Amino acid sequence: MLDLPATAAPPPPAVDLAVPSAAGTLPARYYAASTPAGHPVVGVLLLGTTGPWRLFARLADALAGAGYPLLALDRLEALAPDARPDAIAAALGLLRRRAAAAHLAVVATADQVAAVAGARADGLAMLGTRLPPPAAADELLAVFDALEPYGGALLALGAGETEELGGGVQALFARAVRWRHERPERHLELGVLDGPRATLPLDADHTLAPSAYVGMVCDFVRQWLDRRFGPGYPRAWQGPPPTSHTAPSPQAASPDDPAAWVPLLAPGARLLPTPDSGYLALPSGRQFALTPPLAAFVRLIDGHRPLATIAAQLAPQLARPVSPAQLAHLLTTKLAPLGVVTPDARGDGGEEESGMTDILIRCYQPHDRFRQLLANLTRVTRSPYNVIAVVGKRHAVRNQNLALERVRTKYAVFLDDDVLLTDGWLERLRETMDRTGAGAVSARQLRMNGEPLSTAAACGEHRAIVEALSGGACFMFRTDLGLRFDERYVRSQWDDVDFMFQLYERGYRAFVDGRVDFYHHNDPKVWRAQNLVYFVNKWLAKGLLRGWAMYTYDRLGTAFMPCFGPVAERADETGENNA
């Protein structure tokens, strides 16, 4: 298990630099952050380290701490307006050389847009610096008017009232869509941020704390850089890159068929390579010499793969055909007698270490879609699994907790009873859990007509694995935290988001795996205001509901989402310009 730290990494030490330009030399600070192997290097130019609520100072710490080489340029406002584009071009050139960057992004405030409109950067992030009540969503309208020359990726973030898609928000979204479609090479993400009580059905206010706004901006800018310029999977990913394909499902096999066996090494066993073969070492200190073919076989035993898959992967390594029956013979006659392997880990205990996964389905009353899901599961799921279906006319959240009480596996999956899954879904979710140390990983949710729902649009056209909060219709989660669904929710609205917030509260992240599609009937529901009111009040009382974002992901869809994080942080609450 790979655990992510509960807090962000500190930024690397800054180095003072001077940026020469035709209009004079400007001071700057450079953060030489390290990029993970296999990720493209993205250099970030930050136009300043001052500003309202220490916005840029906080951004510099957040982005450099996340591993982005960053150059913070100071005193740009001291230059004449017509000299600023040259200074920005000089800073970008210096950043590219210093960081050996494959891509460059500029982060600036909305009122600096004229200076960056002609910048030769791959991405621009333009940030509003006014909050309600004086702020309005149409503050960002000027950004699109000024960026007519620009043809790259744009992120625009500002504050405004999101309660209704009307007035300034409607005009802003319409202008943004027109800007996006004027040139095919453009890419656009747009977010309007609002206060934590903005969605309450009665007496809502739009008060957004400056520190909460800064925290939301830091999160969205970092996630945009990850999504737009990353390799297609999170910077937290460890080990080999994500698999792009999964092997075809084996033919249905009985439990006694060796093709369906899932072998499991003894806990703590390690394969120690030698020039000729290898030694299998146990925690007790015992070691067993292995022949090269047997060592290659043992390397493929991970508690996830059945023998049919192992045989298909081993045959090319040995340059000869290999059958599951042959491997079963080796397991039972060579390895099992030594006490180092269980020939088939399914149903014999040890589920926490094996590839077994408990699949939890709540169902108020059996229906045709539920039966279709059960039939669908058997067709598209290869790894061993248990189905825990709680059926009964109880409180919906209580049904979920009854299922949770029966979980015995390392990871578990929650499914709504009206979804359909696709081939390889379980293996890919588990791979992302293993490689990121996530608290939860959701599949990419689609309507029955194939349109993405909510934050599923964040995965983009290339099906990336992205950091995002998703709903509870299909998600895998870790089971060692003792979490339960809050039974004060009525029926089934907001309880899944509350569950995700509990994971965030413990320092874990949530991802959406764009490689994993599932289809959801997603019938309209009666809006339950009492659940929303309870959710808002609960997390406000904890000081962990920053606010809400109405966010559009290029051409693929719009999500309306709560933003987790401390409301009061070390940002200046006065709104003045402070270093």
Side-chain angles (χ1 to χ4, degrees):
M1 187 64 195
L2 306 174
D3 290 346
L4 291 177
T7 56
V15 177
D16 291 331
L17 296 177
V19 178
S21 71
T25 299
L26 296 180
R29 286 187 290 172
Y30 177 67
Y31 300 80
S34 59
T35 300
H39 288 237
V41 179
V42 183
V44 178
L45 175 62
L46 198 62
L47 296 191
T49 52
T50 62
W53 328 295
R54 301 185 68 249
L55 172 60
F56 276 12
R58 290 279 305 284
L59 264 172
D61 287 349
L63 298 182
Y68 285 97
L70 184 141
L71 183 68
L73 185 64
D74 280 336
R75 300 181 188 171
L76 183 67
E77 66 281 359
L79 301 181
D82 59 354
R84 293 172 188 173
D86 289 339
I88 291 172
L92 285 171
L94 176 60
L95 175 60
R96 186 185 294 276
R97 294 190 298 274
R98 274 269 180 167
H103 302 289
L104 295 174
V106 179
V107 181
T109 60
D111 56 9
Q112 294 172 316
V113 65
V116 301
R120 300 186 64 179
D122 303 289
L124 297 180
M126 307 305 304
L127 313 176
T129 54
R130 291 189 294 154
L131 300 183
D138 58 8
E139 178 189 8
L140 296 177
L141 279 172
V143 167
F144 297 100
D145 294 335
L147 289 182
E148 289 302 325
Y150 181 67
L154 173 65
L155 169 67
L157 295 175
E161 295 191 1
T162 59
E163 192 172 35
E164 298 178 0
L165 251 180
V169 173
Q170 187 177 35
L172 174 63
F173 274 54
R175 179 68 183 96
V177 168
R178 189 164 71 251
W179 180 88
R180 166 65 181 85
H181 288 285
E182 285 171 352
R183 293 175 62 174
E185 69 272 23
R186 286 174 174 165
H187 182 277
L188 172 66
E189 294 190 21
L190 170 65
V192 178
L193 314 181
D194 207 345
R197 294 186 181 274
T199 59
L200 294 182
L202 295 174
D203 300 322
D205 64 60
H206 299 271
T207 302
L208 181 59
S211 61
Y213 178 73
V214 170
M216 293 161 75
V217 165
C218 289
D219 287 346
F220 279 118
V221 172
R222 176 183 57 80
Q223 292 172 16
W224 171 70
L225 291 169
D226 289 347
R227 281 195 300 271
R228 188 59 192 160
F229 301 109
Y233 54 94
R235 297 173 74 86
W237 191 278
Q238 300 181 45
T243 55
S244 57
H245 301 285
T246 53
S249 298
Q251 295 297 319
S254 70
D256 297 327
D257 186 342
W261 289 8
V262 180
L264 176 67
L265 285 176
R270 294 181 300 124
L271 190 65
L272 305 176
T274 66
D276 297 324
S277 56
Y279 285 95
L280 191 65
L282 296 181
S284 63
R286 290 185 297 157
Q287 293 188 356
F288 303 93
L290 302 178
T291 63
L294 203 55
F297 176 27
V298 170
R299 287 189 185 96
L300 294 173
I301 297 176
D302 60 1
H304 301 226
R305 299 180 177 95
L307 281 188
T309 300
I310 292 176
Q313 295 175 346
L314 185 61
Q317 297 182 34
L318 303 184
R320 64 172 183 268
V322 178
S323 70
Q326 290 173 310
L327 297 183
H329 178 74
L330 290 174
L331 284 174
T332 55
T333 63
K334 298 289 187 183
L335 293 176
L338 301 176
V340 300
V341 70
T342 301
D344 189 2
R346 298 172 304 162
D348 295 327
E351 286 91 349
E352 183 177 350
E353 293 81 18
S354 75
M356 185 74 71
T357 305
D358 286 337
I359 298 175
L360 317 180
I361 308 173
R362 65 173 183 200
C363 182
Y364 183 72
Q365 186 173 5
H367 48 76
D368 287 344
R369 291 176 181 175
F370 176 55
R371 287 182 278 270
Q372 290 170 3
L373 167 59
L374 295 178
N376 168 247
L377 264 176
T378 64
R379 291 195 300 269
V380 300
T381 312
R382 296 186 292 280
S383 298
Y385 64 92
N386 306 309
V387 171
I388 302 174
V390 178
V391 180
K393 297 181 180 181
R394 305 178 190 87
H395 188 289
V397 184
R398 176 60 180 154
N399 280 351
Q400 293 173 173
N401 284 335
L402 287 173
L404 270 176
E405 291 169 3
R406 290 157 175 78
V407 167
R408 297 294 181 271
T409 56
K410 177 180 179 180
Y411 304 135
V413 174
F414 260 112
L415 296 178
D416 275 9
D417 60 0
D418 59 349
V419 303
L420 292 175
L421 306 161
T422 55
D423 194 54
W425 73 280
L426 187 59
E427 293 76 17
R428 288 175 174 173
L429 291 181
R430 188 174 184 110
E431 180 186 35
T432 301
M433 289 289 295
D434 281 340
R435 297 297 184 186
T436 62
V441 177
S442 302
R444 180 174 176 260
Q445 183 176 201
L446 306 175
R447 300 184 190 275
M448 298 307 292
N449 64 4
E451 296 176 357
L453 273 164
S454 189
T455 54
C459 300
E461 297 174 347
H462 301 293
R463 308 290 184 86
I465 302 168
V466 299
E467 183 180 346
L469 182 152
S470 187
C474 175
F475 71 95
M476 180 177 283
F477 62 98
R478 52 184 301 159
T479 63
D480 60 343
L481 302 176
L483 298 186
R484 291 292 181 268
F485 286 86
D486 188 334
E487 294 187 16
R488 283 166 288 191
Y489 289 97
V490 178
R491 299 187 68 179
S492 62
Q493 292 176 6
W494 296 104
D495 52 293
D496 54 341
V497 181
D498 182 281
F499 191 84
M500 294 293 181
F501 265 47
Q502 292 182 58
L503 288 169
Y504 293 159
E505 187 178 20
R506 287 158 175 80
Y508 293 93
R509 295 181 184 177
F511 299 94
V512 178
D513 193 329
R515 304 172 301 165
V516 184
D517 288 342
F518 78 100
Y519 295 87
H520 191 190
H521 285 281
N522 197 243
D523 295 333
K525 297 179 181 178
V526 176
W527 183 261
R528 298 212 165 257
Q530 68 189 87
N531 280 4
L532 173 58
V533 171
Y534 175 68
F535 173 84
V536 170
N537 288 336
K538 173 182 176 177
W539 291 99
L540 267 178
K542 288 175 173 280
L544 293 173
L545 176 60
R546 278 181 168 147
W548 297 80
M550 184 175 291
Y551 199 96
T552 182
Y553 299 94
D554 202 51
R555 295 169 295 177
L556 298 176
T558 297
F560 189 63
M561 68 189 91
C563 299
F564 177 89
V567 174
E569 297 173 344
R570 291 174 300 177
D572 190 287
E573 297 288 331
T574 66
E576 299 297 328
N577 289 345
N578 294 303

